Amino acid sequence: MRRHGFSVGHVVKAACVILVLAVSVVLFVAPLWLTLVWATRSTADIFSFPPKLLPGSKLLANIEAANASIGLFRSFTISVLVTVVSVIGGVVLSTLAGYVFAKMRFPGRPALFGMVKATMVVPGQIIIVPLFVIMAKLGWIDTYYGLILPGLVPALGVFFMRASAQQSVPTELLEAARVDGAGELTIFARIAVPMLRPGMAALAILLAAHTWGELFWPMVLLRTQEKYTLPVALMGLIGDIQRQPYDQEMAGALFSIVPLTIVFLILQRYFVRGISLTGLK
Amino acid sequence: MARSGRRRRRVPWHAYVFLAPFFVLFAVFFVYPVLYAIALSFQRWSAASTTWVGLDNYTYVLGLPAIRQAFANIVWYGIVNNVYQVSIALVLAILLDQAFLRRVAGALRVAIFLPNIVPGIITALVFAIILGTGGIVDHVLSTVGIHIAWLQSATWAKPAVIIAGGWRYIGYWVLIITAGLQGVPREHYESAQIDGANAFQQVIHVSIPFIRPVLAFVIIVNTIGTMNLFEEPFLLLTPSGGALNAGTTPTLEIYKLGFQNFNPGAAAAVGWLLCIIVVVLSSLQLWLAQRREWLE
């Protein structure tokens, strides 16, 4: 290949690319940075101009105020527990199902998979009203069963893990283990799962982000304030437009953003790999 | 005989056992509610009694101006969201794929993706401040004499929803498009270079044709997602009043009908109308994609 010299044209082009990217990254990150800054400032500061771009000193005061008005710590803890249970359940069920669809042949497979496939186009919200009626009949309104169980069957997760298994679990390896007389559960747990870890990590992040931020279902299902998840509790701060406690809202926003961001940054290598493996199929 | 006997013994029961937990929950909490929604949409449902009312719910909801507005809006949102998000994501993904950025591209993609894990309610709260009266955008625009009441005006309500949604989702599309771009064989670029194609021509004639299946996938997923739009219009436009109807969506109307007016039949009818639109749209897109041999 011909080696390119650093001509003026190249430098100008590279500078333009860098400029466009720098501006874009700033635009994407700015709202996150502003959330952090606003959580540490008073409502008056939030709306001041020129804008305050560095953190202030009101963080603890805002957190305490938000905790007093909506039970920030309690709802945060509830959200953590609900998300952990939902993510573990959703990932385990999706991995099992996705692995079976990718690696086993059995009567009824096309029909069962077709059913999962069809749900991809059914908007989730269409089932909320009937689901609510079902929960009312089961006596599960305002319970965590009602909150968590419907979220454990993400059709997308089955797709995701099926694609993962097709890409990263060699069938010959499974056959070899069968010849050696290993049981199916052992094969799954000892051979498939370790290879599926990047896919499971990526799915865990997707499900965590979804469960953690979900508003519609918990908002209609939960009735007692003491049971509210973080997004539902935050709804309690949004009253009338004139007197919204924006500083408390931003303290709550910080609690909503920070934990997932940390988890994501830890797992991001897996996540990006998972997306590139499975995003296409 | 012996052979078929052995084969019968090979029926993989474990496959069904592995699938059972998923499908039991799936049947109870997804398939059954979907079927129940069909029945519900033909019923008038109250605590006292349930009566079959034929198509009454459908004619009722189609007569409501807010519902018609919601369906008109969702078409607008669907088109604008795709053009806005996918074109920006494509440009960013291509720029980030430049060889000289290899060292920093990963970190920049993560930065652009980060908003995707921010909950919808937080996105709405933050953008309500950024775009709201007395917010940064308001201040900046007013220095040049422009005043836009993003969240109150019927004209600007929908663009506000698009801006907030774009911030949250563009990074995700960048990751997916990047995965596609990295699959383009380097020799394709080299032979284009030998033919004298410049960087822009390489993008048009090499990259984009190669990643068409990926773009089709992004557009289909984005369209389905947009059809479910709820939190951004609900929270950006509700507290400020006024603009809510201008920016409303079918899902928002399902919420209002089902849980504020306690009319589950009407809510289910809107749900099914939305479902029909989504199925038609995504089959159409899939058909177009397959027809052009973009997919598979």
Side-chain angles (χ1 to χ4, degrees), chain A residues 16-70:
Chain A
C16 288
V17 169
I18 290 170
L19 185 71
V20 171
L21 286 176
V23 170
S24 316
V25 169
V26 167
L27 286 177
F28 277 96
V29 174
L32 291 170
W33 176 251
L34 287 174
T35 307
L36 177 72
V37 170
W38 289 339
T40 67
R41 293 204 168 254
S42 65
T43 297
D45 277 359
I46 292 174
F47 287 96
S48 68
F49 192 79
K52 303 266 191 286
L53 296 175
L54 292 173
S57 59
K58 310 257 314 224
L59 178 62
L60 292 179
N62 289 341
I63 290 173
E64 273 165 30
N67 191 43
S69 40
I70 57 163

Side-chain angles (χ1 to χ4, degrees), chain B residues 16-272:
Chain B
Y16 300 106
V17 175
F18 282 12
L19 285 178
F22 179 88
F23 271 94
V24 168
L25 287 172
F26 185 67
V28 176
F29 295 117
F30 200 96
V31 179
Y32 176 60
V34 166
L35 299 177
Y36 192 16
I38 301 179
L40 212 50
S41 73
F42 295 109
Q43 292 172 340
R44 181 156 302 131
W45 196 84
S46 69
S49 66
T50 304
T51 43
W52 291 88
V53 292
L55 287 170
D56 278 12
N57 286 323
Y58 288 92
T59 50
Y60 168 68
V61 295
L62 286 175
L64 295 173
I67 301 292
R68 287 200 219 148
Q69 179 76 50
F71 280 108
N73 285 350
I74 210 69
V75 174
W76 191 93
Y77 281 128
I79 295 168
V80 177
N81 236 354
N82 270 314
V83 172
Y84 175 75
Q85 295 188 4
V86 178
S87 57
I88 292 178
L90 183 62
V91 169
L92 289 178
I94 287 171
L95 292 184
L96 283 165
D97 201 41
Q98 303 300 304
F100 75 95
L101 287 168
R102 202 170 294 140
R103 291 252 177 84
V104 289
L108 295 182
R109 277 186 210 111
V110 167
I112 292 174
F113 175 78
L114 265 184
N116 193 249
I117 54 177
V118 174
I121 176 173
I122 305 300
T123 306
L125 285 178
V126 172
F127 275 85
I129 296 175
I130 292 176
L131 298 174
T133 316
I136 295 177
V137 172
D138 191 17
H139 278 303
V140 170
L141 288 181
S142 66
T143 59
V144 289
I146 298 173
H147 288 280
I148 295 175
W150 294 89
L151 311 178
Q152 288 85 21
S153 99
T155 319
W156 293 101
K158 278 180 281 183
V161 170
I162 294 287
I163 289 171
W167 178 69
R168 209 171 145 212
Y169 284 104
I170 286 172
Y172 185 53
W173 311 134
V174 169
L175 286 191
I176 295 178
I177 294 171
T178 298
L181 285 173
Q182 287 171 347
V184 183
R186 293 292 131 181
E187 308 86 70
H188 286 27
Y189 292 119
E190 278 159 26
S191 54
Q193 240 163 6
I194 290 165
D195 292 347
N198 62 29
F200 181 73
Q201 288 166 332
Q202 285 175 37
V203 166
I204 299 293
H205 298 295
V206 181
S207 310
I208 291 182
F210 195 87
I211 61 167
R212 264 185 196 159
V214 181
L215 292 177
F217 172 84
V218 167
I219 288 170
I220 290 172
V221 174
N222 193 14
T223 305
I224 295 176
T226 305
M227 296 294 128
N228 283 324
L229 205 59
F230 170 67
E231 279 150 20
E232 279 92 348
F234 178 52
L235 291 164
L236 268 179
L237 310 177
T238 305
S240 19
L244 183 58
N245 268 351
T248 191
T249 63
T251 304
L252 195 48
E253 295 304 319
I254 291 175
Y255 172 71
K256 289 201 271 185
L257 285 171
F259 298 99
Q260 290 183 338
N261 304 345
F262 304 105
N263 191 343
V270 176
W272 271 102

